[in-house]
Each structure stands twice: as structure tokens, then as C-alpha cells.
Amino acid sequence: MERESLLDEELNGFQHTAKSPRSHPLLFDESLQRKPSVVIDDPAAVSRTVTRILEQWALSSPDIIVAFVSGTRSFTAWKNEDHRAALQKGIIKLLNATETWILDSGLDYGISRLIGNAVRNELQFRQSKREYEVYVRGYLKKRRHAILLMGVVPMSLLRGSDDETDGHDNDAAEDHPEKCDVNPSHTHFIFVKEPKQEVATAMRSQIIVELAAQVSRRRNPTFVREVQNTGVDEVSYQKGTVCHEQVPLIAVLIQGGMRALDMVHDYLKSDVPVLVIKGTGFLADILAFAYEEHKERGNNRSAMDIIRRDVSKRVARSFPGSKKDEDLTLMRNRIIDCVILGSQKEKELISVVESSEDLVDLDNYFLPAVFAARSRATNILKEQVRSDFLLTMKLNKPGIADSKILGRDEEQIFQVDNDLFEKALMWKGREKFVERFMEEDFALHRFLSHSRLLNLFRHAEDNDFFVNVVWHQVPRRYFEHTIEETFVTKDLNRIIEKLSGFSNFLSMHDLSSNYLGIFVTDEYDAERKAMNALMVWAVLMGRFQLAKTLWKFCEDPIPMALFVSALARGLAQHSRSTDTSVADRVSAQGREFSTMAIDVLDMSYKESNARTFDLLNQKFPDFNDRTPIKAAYISRNKYFLAHEACQIWLNRLWEGGLEITDSWNSRIPEEFKLVVSALLVFPIYFWIRYPAKNFVKDFSWVEHDKVDSGSINETTRLGYENVGQRDKNDLFHIDSLFDREGVDNTERKLKVLAELEGKNKSTRFRHSLKHAAPEAPASSSGSNLFINRNLPLWKKVYYLWSAPRTKFWIFQLFYWIYLAVFSVVVILPTCNDLGLDVIILIWTLFNVLEIALRTVYQIHHGFPVSLFRRGVEITFITGFVLLVAIFKTYFNFIRPLYTRSLMAFGLLYMYYRMVSVFFPMNSILGPMVYRIKRMITVDFLSFVRLALPFIVANMFVLQSVMYPDLPFSIETWRKGFYRAFFTLFIAFLGEIEYTPRCEAVRLRNETANKCWIGDYENYTCPTLGVMTYLLNIQYWIIMRLILVVLLNALFAATMIKVKEDSEFIYRYQRYRTVLDFASRSALPPPFSFLSYSFDWVIVCCVKTQGLGKQKEKILVGPRTVKLLENHAPAKRSYESYSYWMGLTKEYYRRKEREERAKNIAQDQVSRFKGLADDQKAIRGSLARLSDKLKQLEKASLVYFEEIKHNMSRKGHAKEGTLNQLSRLSPYPGTGIKRFLIPDHKVSWDTELSDYKPPSYCRDTYDFPVAERHYVDPEFTSRPRKDPAFWCWNATAVVGGKKIDRRTVAPPTDTEAGQVQYALDHRGLPRNIVGRTGLADRGNLCMYGPNLCVQVVLTRFRDDALRFLVAKTSTYPNLPSLFPSSKTLGFRNRFHAAWQLVESLFALPDGPVKDLAPPEDEEHMHKLMGAVIFPGSPDDGAKFLAVQQVYAGYLDHVDNTDNAWMETVVWHVDISTGEGLPRVADENFTWKERSHIKRMRPFEDHIIQHVTISKVVDD
């Protein structure tokens, strides 16, 4: 019951209308009686009945109606089964894409059965898929479109019907000569009760047209008023020529005959487009030919006469069984009428498409055919255009929508609304439509509200990815299937933060407010937020292609691509536990978005590096006020951070605006200059430079009126030292950030610094600026301008110590000093020297304090920090200090060695810590550290897991065998572990050697009072023996030769694999290190407390209102951090947005060019196909050559006569025939290989000196019993005494045995009389054609010729020449295609042929036994007539024509050098089929020449000769 209910739902939810079986007397199957059906017997009641059908059957409104037109008799198997399968797939694809009605004849035959089988398979697939969904998910997804397959059935053609068809049914051009059942896969039936085929056909087409017209009216009643307002005449409206186009109706012609032609004619009169599938045969090919000829030749009189003549020939050839010429004439005229109706001035109602595998995309042909049949009056209707566009969107044909709908919308009446855009989003694969809508400046903020976003999540097509990957991440929602409103208001942001690290990314309040026109900020911001929400929806639904389409229109493409990459990375991590394939696919999409961001950044950097650095410095409010670099680091996008622009930005931050000179000696390392300058101060004047472009705010000579916004802001932007002057000037008038506010802010900072210097009055500050102005250089825009003279020394020192690079080396220097002191403390031989211990502990505490304060500072400023790792580090170091302090305090109770060991472990950790803190900044050590980390965390851990079982097992095994009597103690465990573990590094060979010490205590006798297992009284001596050596050897082999070598191989493979990736990771980790040192205090531990104390004093002054907040912000914190935070989120200009959007579109255009370059080969193939199509078009010109071909037909008869004469003269054998089959190896029935003979050495006339073929004679008892009497004994060097037995080239009777050793090969022109074969050196017959590679008799009965007879029987049936041939033909067993028989003894060729024919046909009274065997051809002819026509034995011979067509050598696999097959072939032609009995032998059947699949060369030659002879004779 459940299965039936599901099927009913798939069948459009229809209820059957049958009350009882009597209501449907033709539907004998109970399942068919449940289906809706109706009977129409009056043409006048069609409209009324269709109205009732639509009301009572509750049919859903279709998007398109397809009527298939074909026939039954005029329907044959497809020439190419792939084309048939493609058509079935195309129909199912159309049914799944749209609400489609398919109408046909409903019969269980022809195209109706083909469509029915496809629908049946689709329903079964849907059923199994839905059962699987219920089993796996527990609920059903959204159902597909219901299937409606309606049969408009002529009742006169149904089996069991009482209606009789009219007399035209005997015509071969008729479509329905036989009666059929209805197809059970159809869902609805409309039975047409009308005995006259012409009337029934007209009623069927009328029903279908009326169905389409009424469905159109019901779908959109307002469309009728629009049609009337456009001036369409009432007649056209009543005819239904306009209204049905609201729901397109298209007829498809496949094959077909006269009745199909009538339906096509009726459709064309009703302006219904007809799609002709050319290449299917019959009417479809004829109509396609006529239409194409009409389009090429035109409509003039002479052209139409040619077309009529050609159509007449094709009709006669396609329907040869037609007995009435007037029917063929009527069919020709009807075809011409259809061609004229299909070619109208404004529209084309006929479209032709080739039968091919492209029929899978039927909609590619349906839509152009429908639109080509449209009139201009229909195309200007707004509702019509919208309906057509929606149909193309359902079928996902953006190209057709652009060319056929929008391209013809001259008055621009089509407008995109929210409903269409929502459908384009929800329907999968409609990215082209979304792109088209976005290019038309579709306003997203007027479309997307929080409720519509919720609707997109609820009703999107194919939401498996969202349900399986995203929905289960929502807390407490695993078993819920309904998406509530709280999902978008609360859970969505949680999911985004969990996956990408961006918190509060979407605001549903802002989204809905902007939708209502209440903008939170402005319209541009509203559009951007709506785009962000759509991007999130596309990614969470797994629509990455849609996300790429939307990304093209993002105002911030690089941050958005980084965000999507982070989101995809999170999705991949969460889905990896459930489905690794999905995780890999999502991860690949994330990498692709990352690549897109890098490519756009690279394009911008090459075009304008000023814009690039401005973008890298910019904070984006939509992305948590993060810069692109910070977003890339949080999302672990190492490739983006490895870009040249990002590395320049990072270098600028690392340098802190300083430059190190190369004065004095260039060999002095820059690091040495930097450290010495920081410690000694005075080298600042000659080793450190302060570029003016990086310290504009500290100019003491800049005049206020000369300070412009461009110069001020360039100083505060990281990376601008690499910006050219042209780009800087360009920045001034493009970026809205460069405004007067920057000048005011700079002046305010300068005032604060002046106050710190005691210059509290602004007038005094301005005075200093004024007097310093004359000292300014003539040009301030040069890149070599430095501040050396007027910059105060304390500022120089402050900037030097604030640079991350300086901090790095100063911290490293002091850390080395710390490690040196720590090392001395650990190594000094003291037990209770507290002085150095206290120093180390205090210094370590300062290190912990610096780490903790730095962590708090970094978290407060949003720096990327691993809290877990920092927490573990702080806890470990603090615990170490506390433990050491406790151990030192209670030294009387704790052994000093334990304290020393604890200090040693602490020192070891501090040394190892240096690798992760300082080494990542080195370009050589940084990548190497990553490789080592990868080798330890992956390869070494895998090695440990693999080696642990071997180590543990052998620890116990070796200890128990080598020291069996050692008492169980800690020493036992120590020795076992020591031996098992350290075998990785050394081999303990001393333990397996005999020593004098142990040999002296060897046990000589058993100890009675003690259980002793070993060989020695001293249990510390190892017991040696075979087992000891075997166990040690296997352990050493496994550990030293296998596992350790494997570990080295893993390390080498990892080094190679991560070589390239390690460079990117080094650059990625470099960002964290740079930011880490940028946020550190200027002084290293233990002096860092001074820096933090200064900050605390400033904070206290602010709390007590001694200083303002602005002064606190300026004075507190490192200068590098101020540079990072200097640019608060600001509103950018529309021109800047346009630049980045244009750059994105240029990126896509570049990608398209690259794709086109990759697809050049495919494009060339497409062009070749186009050329092939053009060649087909030339066929129309070749039609004019048909008259010349007729003249050639007469000349060909002369050549046929000459060929016949030559074949008769040559014995009908092919000239130059070599022993092809006679040289095949191995010899049949044996494994003997023939002597290999090239073609030019076959003839005996050609010398072959080394020719020594093997010999073989089949044993007599291996032959059938009937043939043993005629088998020659094996010929030896001494032949039989009776010379008459070997009667070569003659006949003889020996011992009552008749022997005929003559050849039947005909003599050549130079020979006369009978052909004589030669004898070889042994006196045996030599093969008359040439060498075969095998000597003696072989499988044949006799030496010399072995004769057989073959009979070729032919007859005409269904206007085709047929041959009586074997049903199956095995190549080696020649002759087997034609009936054949051996002639043994003196049975002549006439007798053998007659007996062969007699065995083929069944006689009423059994075989003819009282007739004398024939002795000549005339007698054989007469006897054959009596056998084949037993009803008239005297006159049977006149219905036969008997002729010998071949006599001579037969190339056979059994032939040898001394024995060969010869054959006589008789051709028996039967001129009539009346009274012909059936063939008795079931192994033979009648076949046409084209149906004979496999033939030997000889048989092919015989059939060609017989066929040519028949043509010439006829």
C-alpha cells in the first residue's frame, strides 16, 4: 500500500475514475483500470470533454506540452541504439526539469512503448530513491515534478475492440494496420471512438490542441485580455493559435506514415510548431528533406516541381507496398502543403534536427522551435515574455533566454523581479541567470530580508550539503528537520564564527531594515550587507559556483574571498569525520577562493601598488574590523600571506620605518649595527637612518600650510616606501581617506609631543614650525630625504627600540645571556648556592610576567594568539619556578640531585623554546623548523606506533631467555628496557659472547634443592644458545635494518614533499612572529617591567584625569602597533568600489581567455562539425546530378555483362588466389605448426630451398563410420603393391571400392582437356595452387582432390533477394555457410546436389526413394523441382533455375601439400514462393545479403557473382 501511494503521488496525485471493470472494457489489467480515462466519440464534444477532464482530473498546470507523432507499421527499430537511448534520456530530463505533459497514441508499440519504458524506469528509480531517503533520513525531501504521460488512443486500433477500421488500412502507407494493447506505463487515457482513421486522426490532434488552449486560459486568464488589447484578431483567438502559447505546445515527428502526416498537417494549421527528427526514417526523413529543399530552392514554380518529383520518389521508395498511386500522390501533396504551412513570413513552424546522441538535450531543440513559431504580436506581451523566460530558467538555458527572448525584447518590457531572482537562487545550476540579473543592477537590499533568507535555507533545491554538513552543527538540532526563525537570528552567526572565526558577521535587523528602505547607514552599505548574506547562504548550501558568480559583484572582493576560503576550510574540517570526499571537495573550493584573492591582489599590485597597500592597511567593518592580512592569518591562508605585496607590508612593519646604512664597512652585519646602535646610542648617527616619508609627524621644520593630506597619510600606511610618485599622486584624488581630518589628527599628536617637551602653548609650537621652515629642503617628495639633525635624540632612541627588528635581536641577545647564566647555575657543583639560583628564578619570573602581560595586550588589541599554547607555557614555567623554590627551601628533605635534575629539565626546555621563538624569522631555519616539526609530529609518531609492539615484546622475551634466573626486581625492568630501547642506536654484542667469568660458574649437575633454568650459577650471566641468537637476530633485523631504515625513508620523503610548502608556511608564521615582537615591550626581561610601569603610570594619570584619552592612546603602547591601528574603518568612495569590482571582472575575463586557450582543440572539433554540416547542405546542389546518374545506369549494364563473361571464362574464381586459409596454424584438431611460407613463395614455381614441412595423417578410426571405407591409408616410402589403388588423375575400382582421383578444376585458356595435377618426389599428388606448409593427407580422406558439393538456394521475398544460409557460421569449418555435402566414391556431383536439396525440404511422404539418381544436369533439375514443389512434381522444375556457378579448388584449413578440397557450387533460384515447403533442417534459414554478418572470401565471392547474375538477367 505504501508503494502504491508513493506512485500515486508521483503520478500527479490523480484518482482513478473507473467505477467497475465494465467502465473500461479495453483495460483488462486491474492496474490500468485504476487510471483516469475517458471516451470521446463525437468531434463536436471535444471542447466540452476537455473542460470536464481539466475539472475532474485535477491536473496541475504544465510548463510545456509535447505531442509525439509516429506510427506502428511505419515504425522500425532505430538504426543507432544510442540515439534511441539519448531520446529516452532527453524525455526524462525534460520531465524532471519542468511540469511537462507528454501525449502520444498510448499504444504498446513504437514510440509510445519507447516513452512508456522510459517513464516506467524513471518511476522505479524515484521509488527506490525515496525509499532510501526514508530509510536513511527518516523523512522525504522535496518531491520532483509529477509525471503525466497521456495516451490519446484510437479505439479502432485496440486489440479486443469491436470497431473496425476503414478500407485504407491495407495500404502500406497507413500507420495502423494491426491492433495493439494500451501501454501500461501511461498515466491517463483519452479514447477516441471513431472507425474512420481520417476522422479519428483529426479528433486526436483537435483534442491535443484544445487541451493546450484551455490550460493556457486557466493558467493566466488575464492573458486573454492582453491578447485582445494587442490587436490580435478574434478569429485567431478562437482558433487557439495564440492562447496556447502561454503554455507552449510542440509536436515531435518520429518516422510515421499517412496518419502521422495528417496529424502534422492539422498541427501546422493550428500554428503548432513541429519538430522533425531527421534520420529516423519514413515520413520524418521525407518531410525534413522537402522542408530543407524548400528553404534552399525557394518557392518558385520550377523549384516546387523539382521538390514534388523528388518527394514522389522518396515516398515510393519508403512505402513500396502501396498499391494505389493516388494514395502516394495524396501523400506527396500533403507533404508539400505541410512545407508551405511551415514556412511563413514571420515565423517558422517546422524545425528539423538530426537524430544523434545530442537528443539527450531535447530542450535545446524544443525551445528554439517554439520561439521560432512565435509571431511578433505574441512576443510583445509582458506576461508571455515572462512566462517564456521562466521556462528557459527552469530548463536552465541562459543562452536561449538571451538570444530568443531578451534579444527580441526590443521594447524592454521584461523586468527582473524578486520572485524570478529567488527562483534563480534556489534552483541549482542557474548561475548564468543570476549573473545576468546582477549585470542589470539588481538591488539585493530590496530583495533580501531575514525572512527571505530563512526561506532560501528552507526551500532551496538539493540541500543535502546543508543538512549533512551544516545543520548538524547547530546545537540541539540534530533530529529536527524544520528550520526555525531562530536559525537566522541566532544560530547562523554562531555557525559562521565556529567555521571561520568571524563573529557577528550578519545582522538580521540591519538586513530587514534595509529591505524596508530604512537604511542603517546608506544604500551602498545596505547592498554590501545583502551581498554578504547571500555569499554565506551560497557557501553553506554548497553552491560554490553560485558563490563565485556573486563574488564577481562584491565591493570588497579580496576580503570576501578570504572569508569564503575560511568558511570552506571550517566546513571541510567539520565534514571530514562524516564524508572525506565531501571534505576534499569543499577544501578544494576553499583553495580556489584563496587563489582568486591572490590573483586579484597580484593584478592590483602590478597595476597600482599604492592601491594594494591601501587595501592591506584598510580595516573592513563587515569582517570584524580586520585587515585582509589579519583575515588571511586567522583563516590560515598561507598562500595569501606569501604574496609579494603582503611580504613587503610585513617587512615594513618589521623594520619599524628605520633603515640601516652601509657606511664604513659593508661587511659588518646589519644585525650587529642594529644591536650596537641600540645599546651604545652614538652609532645611531652613522648607522641608522630615519626616512622622512616614515616620520612626517616628527618634522620640526614643516609649515602648517604645506602639510597636505596626501603626504600625511602616506607616512602612516605600511608599505608606502615602495609606492611610486605617480601612484601617490593618484591616491590623492581617488581615496576618500585622504581628507583634512588626517591633518588635524597629526597636528593634535604634534601638540601632545610639544607639551611633553615643555612647549605647552600652541603659538610657540607654530612659531617653531615657522622658524624651522626655511631649513626644509627644496623638494620633500624625494625618497632620499632623512631626518637626522632636527629629530631629538630621545625620539631616535625611542623609535629604534620600538622597531620589531630591534626588539627581536635585543630580546634574543638577552635570552642568550639568560641561558648562559642558567647553564652556569646548572653546571656549578654546589648544593645550596642560593645567589645565582635566586637570580635565575627572578629572571624566569620576569619572563613569565612578560609573556602574560603581552598575551593580555595582544588579546585586547585583537592580535592572533593561541591561548592554549600560551596558557600551557605560562603554567609550565610558573610551575617550574615554584618547584625549584620548594626544592631549594626544603633541601634537607629533598635530595639535591632531584633539584639539579629539575633545573636541567628547565634549562633544556628554555633552550628548546628558542627554536620556536627566534628561529622562524630566519629564511633558512624557518622552513627547516617546519620540516622538523612535520617529521616529528607525523613520521616519528607513526614510527613509534609501529615500533612499540616490537620493543615491548622483545623487552620481555629477550630478558626471559637470556636471564631466566634473575630475581624479579626493578633491575629486571631496567635491563629489559635498556636492551630493547637502545638497540635502536647500538647493538649489545657483549651479552651474547662467552666470557671466562661466566664459564667458571657453569652448572655441571642439576641442583636438587633449587629450580635453576639458566646455564650458570651466577644469574647475572646471560644464558646463550640457539634461541638466544635467533631472538636477538630477529629483533636486530626488524629494528636496525627495517624500522630504522623506514624512518629514514619517511624523513626523506617528508623533506621532499614539504619542501615547497614549507616556504609558504615560513612566510605565514613570520606574520605571527612579527606581530608578536611588534606588541612586545621595548625592553627585554628582566627590564620589561620598566616599560609596563610607564604604561601603568600613564593609565593612572588618565584615571585621575591628569591626561586625556587621546594622549593615553598616543603615549601608551608600541609605535608599531599604533601604525597597525592608525586606520580605523572609514567609508570609501564609490570610485574605489568600482575599481575593485572592475578588477574582479577583469580577472574573470582573463580566466575565460585562459579557458578558451585550453579548449582550442575542442573548438576546432566544433568547427569541423560545422564544416561537416555545411557539406551536408551542399547535397541540395548534388541533387541536380541525378539525371546524369540515370544515364550511367544504362552503361553499367554493359559492364555487368562483361564481368559475367569474364567470371564464366575464369571458372568464377578470383584471380591471384593464394592459399590463405590453407596456411593457417595450428592445423585443426592438432597442435602442429605449419611451415611458415610468405605469399610470394606459395607457388611451386618459386624456389624455396629450405622447405621441409611437417607431416600429419589423421587415423582412420578418427573418421565417422560412414567415411572410414573411403579413407586412404598413410602413404609410406614403399607404396602399396596394387598400382591401381593409387590411380592419380584417373578413376578405378579396387576391392569393390570406387575411387575417383580426378580434379574438377577447369582448364585455362592455354590448356585443353582435363587438368592434370603433378606428383612430388615421393609420388604423391602436389597441391594444384601451391605450398601449404604441411605434408601428407592431414584431416582429409584421400590424397589428391577431395570433392564436395554446395548448393546456393535463392528466392525473392518482400522485394529482397534472400539466400538459404546457416544460422551460425564458424570460420574454420568450411564450407558451412551454404548447404554442402561430400561426394564419396562414385557419387557424381548431380547426385550429391540432388540429395542435398532433398535433405533440406520436408516432403509429406518422406524422402523420394523410387527415383533413379540423376546422371546429368537436366535430370537433376527435374528431380529438384519435384523435391522443392511436392504439390506439383511435374511442373516444379519450371519454377527453378539451376546453374553451376563454380567448380574448382577450395581454399580450406584442412588442405595440405598432398591433399586438398575441391567443390562444385550449384545455384538454384526459386522464382515463386507459393507452395514452397518449409526448410526441414533447422540449422538453415533465409537471409538477405545485408543480414549475413560473417562470410569467408570464397562465399562472399559466390554471393557477389549470384547477385550480379540476377541483376543482369533481370
Side-chain angles (χ1 to χ4, degrees), residues 1063-1266:
E1063 183 66 26
F1064 292 104
I1065 294 178
Y1066 152 69
R1067 296 184 179 184
Y1068 169 77
Q1069 296 291 350
R1070 188 167 173 261
Y1071 172 80
R1072 178 178 61 83
T1073 306
V1074 170
L1075 287 190
D1076 183 53
F1077 281 95
S1079 59
R1080 294 193 183 203
S1081 61
L1083 299 177
F1087 307 108
S1088 57
F1089 75 95
L1090 297 177
S1091 298
Y1092 291 111
S1093 299
F1094 175 76
D1095 294 341
W1096 293 337
V1097 171
I1098 298 298
V1099 172
C1100 292
C1101 292
V1102 172
K1103 296 296 183 181
T1104 58
Q1105 299 182 354
L1107 289 174
K1109 274 285 186 183
Q1110 188 65 28
K1111 297 178 181 179
E1112 177 198 9
K1113 186 176 181 181
I1114 295 174
L1115 297 175
V1116 176
R1119 175 181 178 271
T1120 313
V1121 177
K1122 297 174 189 176
L1123 291 177
L1124 288 174
E1125 298 180 344
N1126 186 54
H1127 294 291
K1131 178 182 177 181
R1132 291 185 294 164
S1133 64
Y1134 177 75
E1135 189 173 359
S1136 179
Y1137 288 140
S1138 301
Y1139 170 77
W1140 289 107
M1141 293 176 65
L1143 201 64
T1144 307
K1145 294 180 180 179
E1146 176 61 28
Y1147 164 77
Y1148 271 100
R1149 285 191 289 269
R1150 182 178 299 180
K1151 286 295 182 181
E1152 289 175 359
R1153 289 194 295 269
E1154 293 176 358
E1155 287 296 328
R1156 285 197 297 269
K1158 293 179 181 178
N1159 299 329
I1160 289 178
Q1162 296 182 358
D1163 294 341
Q1164 290 177 347
V1165 172
S1166 301
R1167 292 178 182 178
F1168 284 137
K1169 289 183 179 180
L1171 293 176
D1173 295 337
D1174 295 340
Q1175 291 178 352
K1176 291 181 180 179
I1178 301 176
R1179 290 182 304 172
S1181 302
L1182 298 178
R1184 300 182 183 91
L1185 299 177
S1186 59
D1187 295 336
K1188 296 182 179 181
L1189 294 177
K1190 292 180 181 179
Q1191 298 175 3
L1192 294 176
E1193 291 179 2
K1194 298 179 181 179
S1196 63
L1197 296 176
V1198 179
Y1199 292 104
F1200 286 144
E1201 288 291 346
E1202 183 178 356
I1203 292 173
K1204 181 179 180 181
H1205 171 72
N1206 291 334
M1207 291 178 63
S1208 301
R1209 184 173 58 85
K1210 296 292 183 180
H1212 313 300
K1214 299 174 71 173
E1215 296 183 9
T1217 299
L1218 296 175
N1219 277 330
Q1220 298 292 342
L1221 299 178
S1222 302
R1223 288 183 286 154
L1224 294 179
S1225 290
Y1227 192 74
T1230 69
I1232 300 175
K1233 300 289 185 180
R1234 294 179 185 264
F1235 188 91
L1236 184 62
I1237 306 171
D1239 290 345
H1240 64 282
K1241 295 291 184 178
V1242 171
S1243 175
W1244 296 108
D1245 298 334
T1246 305
E1247 183 179 358
L1248 187 60
S1249 58
D1250 59 343
Y1251 181 62
K1252 296 180 180 180
S1255 300
Y1256 173 71
C1257 282
R1258 185 180 178 184
D1259 191 82
T1260 304
Y1261 294 98
D1262 293 336
F1263 286 88
V1265 177

Side-chain angles (χ1 to χ4, degrees), residues 141-142 393 396 420-434 447 453 455-467 469-470 531-552 560 564-565 567-568 571 582 585-586 588-590 592-593 596 1148:
K141 290 174 57 181
K142 184 179 178 180
M393 196 163 69
N396 197 15
L420 279 177
F421 190 78
E422 185 178 24
K423 286 182 170 60
L425 290 175
M426 289 196 297
W427 295 344
K428 194 173 181 180
R430 274 45 175 205
E431 289 80 12
K432 292 294 184 181
F433 288 96
V434 174
F447 160 76
L453 181 62
N455 187 60
L456 289 176
F457 276 107
R458 284 177 174 175
H459 303 293
E461 190 177 76
D462 191 13
N463 59 351
D464 287 346
F465 180 86
F466 174 74
V467 172
V469 179
V470 181
M531 175 62 75
N532 294 343
L534 275 185
M535 288 292 293
V536 169
W537 173 82
V539 174
L540 295 185
M541 296 300 296
R543 306 277 187 86
F544 289 97
Q545 193 62 38
L546 176 60
K548 294 173 186 175
T549 301
L550 294 173
W551 179 76
K552 186 186 299 187
M560 179 56 72
V564 174
S565 176
L567 204 59
L571 287 172
V582 173
R585 186 168 65 251
V586 175
Q589 293 293 337
E592 189 170 350
F593 270 95
M596 291 158 58
Y1148 271 100

Side-chain angles (χ1 to χ4, degrees), residues 499-743:
L499 296 176
S500 65
F502 291 84
S503 60
N504 298 322
F505 186 74
L506 300 178
S507 174
M508 295 299 115
H509 175 268
D510 294 351
L511 207 62
S512 296
S513 298
N514 295 331
Y515 172 76
L516 297 174
I518 309 173
F519 299 117
V520 179
T521 52
D522 56 20
E523 189 174 358
Y524 296 109
D525 183 70
E527 190 73 9
R528 190 174 64 254
K529 290 182 178 180
M531 175 62 75
N532 294 343
L534 275 185
M535 288 292 293
V536 169
W537 173 82
V539 174
L540 295 185
M541 296 300 296
R543 306 277 187 86
F544 289 97
Q545 193 62 38
L546 176 60
K548 294 173 186 175
T549 301
L550 294 173
W551 179 76
K552 186 186 299 187
F553 302 94
C554 285
E555 297 177 352
D556 302 317
I558 292 180
M560 179 56 72
L562 295 174
F563 167 74
V564 174
S565 176
L567 204 59
R569 178 184 175 88
L571 287 172
Q573 290 177 350
H574 285 83
S575 61
R576 194 166 297 279
S577 60
T578 58
D579 193 340
T580 56
S581 61
V582 173
D584 294 339
R585 186 168 65 251
V586 175
S587 180
Q589 293 293 337
R591 289 192 297 270
E592 189 170 350
F593 270 95
S594 173
T595 304
M596 291 158 58
I598 296 171
D599 291 343
V600 174
L601 180 69
D602 188 66
M603 292 172 61
S604 172
Y605 180 69
K606 292 178 180 178
E607 181 179 338
S608 174
N609 48 15
R611 291 182 183 272
T612 305
F613 291 120
D614 175 57
L615 175 77
L616 297 179
N617 283 303
Q618 181 64 42
K619 292 183 178 180
F620 292 88
D622 295 338
F623 301 93
N624 297 159
D625 289 336
R626 294 173 180 170
T627 63
I629 290 185
K630 187 174 182 180
Y633 180 81
I634 293 177
S635 62
R636 300 183 182 180
N637 195 328
K638 56 182 178 290
Y639 302 106
F640 184 86
L641 285 174
H643 190 268
E644 181 183 358
C646 296
Q647 290 300 306
I648 291 176
W649 182 93
L650 203 57
N651 290 336
R652 171 72 175 88
L653 181 63
W654 174 246
E655 298 291 343
L658 307 178
E659 291 185 5
I660 302 176
T661 65
D662 54 356
S663 58
W664 290 13
N665 191 349
S666 60
R667 295 183 179 180
I668 299 177
E670 291 185 353
E671 291 77 9
F672 178 81
K673 296 178 181 180
L674 192 67
V675 173
V676 171
S677 299
L679 295 178
L680 302 181
V681 178
F682 72 88
I684 291 177
Y685 290 100
F686 46 81
W687 276 346
I688 307 298
R689 295 189 299 189
Y690 297 84
K693 58 186 177 181
N694 297 334
F695 299 92
V696 174
K697 72 183 182 64
D698 293 294
F699 283 174
S700 59
W701 41 263
V702 177
E703 294 186 11
H704 178 73
D705 56 353
K706 290 186 178 181
V707 178
D708 57 72
S709 61
S711 60
I712 293 296
N713 281 273
E714 286 174 12
T715 66
T716 57
R717 296 171 185 269
L718 296 179
Y720 273 74
E721 70 280 3
N722 297 281
V723 179
Q725 186 63 34
R726 177 183 60 83
D727 292 326
K728 292 177 182 179
N729 296 334
D730 181 61
L731 279 173
F732 177 74
H733 62 83
I734 290 180
D735 200 333
S736 62
L737 287 174
F738 302 131
D739 51 18
R740 192 68 187 176
E741 183 181 354
V743 180

Side-chain angles (χ1 to χ4, degrees), residues 821-827 833 836-838 840-841 844 880-881 883-885 887-888 896-911:
V821 176
F822 201 166
S823 302
V824 171
V825 171
V826 171
I827 204 171
D833 189 358
L836 292 177
D837 294 343
V838 171
I840 287 300
L841 292 180
T844 306
F880 164 75
V881 173
L883 286 176
V884 171
F887 283 15
K888 288 290 184 179
L897 179 61
Y898 297 156
T899 306
R900 181 60 60 89
S901 300
L902 181 61
M903 294 284 287
F905 275 108
L907 179 62
L908 189 65
Y909 170 77
M910 291 302 176
Y911 270 105

Side-chain angles (χ1 to χ4, degrees), residues 1425-1440:
V1427 171
I1428 297 177
F1429 297 99
S1432 54
D1434 298 332
D1435 299 332
K1438 67 180 181 179
F1439 299 111
L1440 299 180

Side-chain angles (χ1 to χ4, degrees), residues 388-453:
D388 293 342
F389 189 87
L390 184 60
L391 179 59
T392 58
M393 196 163 69
K394 286 184 177 181
L395 296 174
N396 197 15
K397 301 299 175 184
I400 296 178
D402 286 338
S403 60
K404 301 298 182 180
I405 300 177
L406 302 181
R408 297 172 61 177
D409 186 14
E410 300 174 356
E411 300 182 6
Q412 301 295 322
I413 61 176
F414 176 74
Q415 297 294 331
V416 181
D417 53 23
N418 289 345
D419 183 55
L420 279 177
F421 190 78
E422 185 178 24
K423 286 182 170 60
L425 290 175
M426 289 196 297
W427 295 344
K428 194 173 181 180
R430 274 45 175 205
E431 289 80 12
K432 292 294 184 181
F433 288 96
V434 174
E435 182 178 359
R436 179 61 187 264
F437 295 158
M438 295 299 297
E439 289 175 349
E440 297 293 333
D441 295 331
F442 181 79
L444 292 179
H445 69 276
R446 298 177 184 174
F447 160 76
L448 194 63
S449 62
H450 83 281
S451 58
R452 194 180 292 272
L453 181 62

